[in-house]
Amino acid sequence: MLRQFSGIMIVGLHFTRVIRPCTSVGSYRCFSETSNRSVKIYTKTGDKGNSSLYTGERRPKNDEIFEALGTTDELSSCLGLAKEYAMKGKHPYVDRLARIQCVLQDIGSLIATPISSARQTHLKRVEFSDSYCAELEDWIDEYTAILPGLINFILPGGGEASATLHVARTVCRRAERRVTPLVLSGEVNEQALIYLNRLIEHTHTTLT
């Protein structure tokens, strides 16, 4: 399992390094390393409908990049709610949901660093390892080995955690649709799309 991964947390227009592993094995939390400079919550720089990316480029808030960022953020929020319900129900996959949320921060870093306006220093800071996808595949194989064959469609529901994971699964599909054109146009590393695709499959096996 990976013990460290890089990323940029986007808080308004303030970007910070994120994510360090917890001391407990398999458990991850997101930490930020910020500068000592105080930053106000409101900046007023987005009042005209534009916002900044990690590269410094400004784009309209309805740009494809921000649509993808927003949907990825929504996905992480859904997983966060599912994680709380899973903790309540004492389900065994709580740490894995936390891990996925942290990796989604790295996905956000990739999306917020379009290749067309990024310098090499930007790209170096948001490198995304294909081992993240391999980790999901290992979890999928683990679940698949113990599950019976699927012969029927699964109706969303099955308890608080399960129902929320169903919502997360559908939001993940939307995130995949939002990221696809960015990957096809060469703006975003394809590993972001691959991870989202594997995450859909992982969520599906978790539910079954």
Side-chain angles (χ1 to χ4, degrees):
M1 179 175 288
L2 296 176
R3 299 298 298 166
Q4 186 173 0
F5 28 104
S6 63
I8 306 296
M9 179 181 290
I10 304 163
V11 184
L13 302 181
H14 184 56
F15 298 89
T16 63
R17 299 288 294 180
V18 299
I19 306 171
R20 290 185 181 275
C22 295
T23 54
S24 58
V25 176
S27 181
Y28 292 80
R29 293 177 187 155
C30 299
F31 295 90
S32 63
E33 300 172 359
T34 65
S35 65
N36 292 326
R37 183 167 57 91
S38 177
V39 178
K40 288 184 177 181
I41 295 298
Y42 62 91
T43 64
K44 301 184 180 181
T45 57
D47 290 352
K48 301 296 184 182
N50 296 294
S51 192
S52 292
L53 299 173
Y54 175 50
T55 60
E57 178 188 3
R58 293 189 67 81
R59 294 193 182 192
K61 291 186 177 182
N62 61 353
D63 187 89
E64 286 183 330
I65 291 285
F66 291 116
E67 285 286 349
L69 277 173
T71 309
T72 304
D73 185 29
E74 183 182 350
L75 170 59
S76 183
S77 296
C78 288
L79 290 172
L81 182 59
K83 181 180 65 180
E84 294 302 313
Y85 284 136
M87 290 173 62
K88 178 181 175 182
K90 295 182 171 28
H91 293 288
Y93 48 79
V94 172
D95 282 347
R96 292 183 176 182
L97 293 181
R99 163 67 166 169
I100 291 167
Q101 283 186 288
C102 287
V103 176
L104 286 175
Q105 291 282 4
D106 278 8
I107 297 280
S109 300
L110 284 180
I111 296 170
T113 313
I115 294 172
S116 63
S117 62
R119 297 191 299 273
Q120 194 58 41
T121 52
H122 291 134
L123 298 175
K124 184 68 176 176
R125 290 192 70 187
V126 299
E127 286 181 344
F128 190 87
S129 173
D130 57 6
S131 59
Y132 295 169
C133 296
E135 181 179 58
L136 277 184
E137 290 169 358
D138 287 343
W139 293 348
I140 293 169
D141 291 341
E142 177 186 322
Y143 286 132
T144 302
I146 61 176
L147 291 172
L150 185 63
I151 58 175
N152 296 307
F153 289 106
I154 300 174
L155 292 177
E160 292 174 329
S162 180
T164 310
L165 282 173
H166 273 292
V167 176
R169 173 181 57 80
T170 59
V171 174
C172 191
R173 287 193 181 277
R174 176 152 47 85
E176 182 186 36
R177 293 194 298 270
R178 296 293 185 266
V179 171
T180 293
L182 299 174
V183 171
L184 293 179
S185 65
E187 284 281 61
V188 173
N189 188 314
E190 68 174 1
Q191 286 298 323
L193 184 60
I194 295 172
Y195 189 86
L196 290 172
N197 186 262
R198 292 297 180 280
L199 182 53
I200 294 168
E201 295 157 349
H202 171 266
T203 307
H204 184 75
T205 54
T206 303
L207 288 164
T208 54

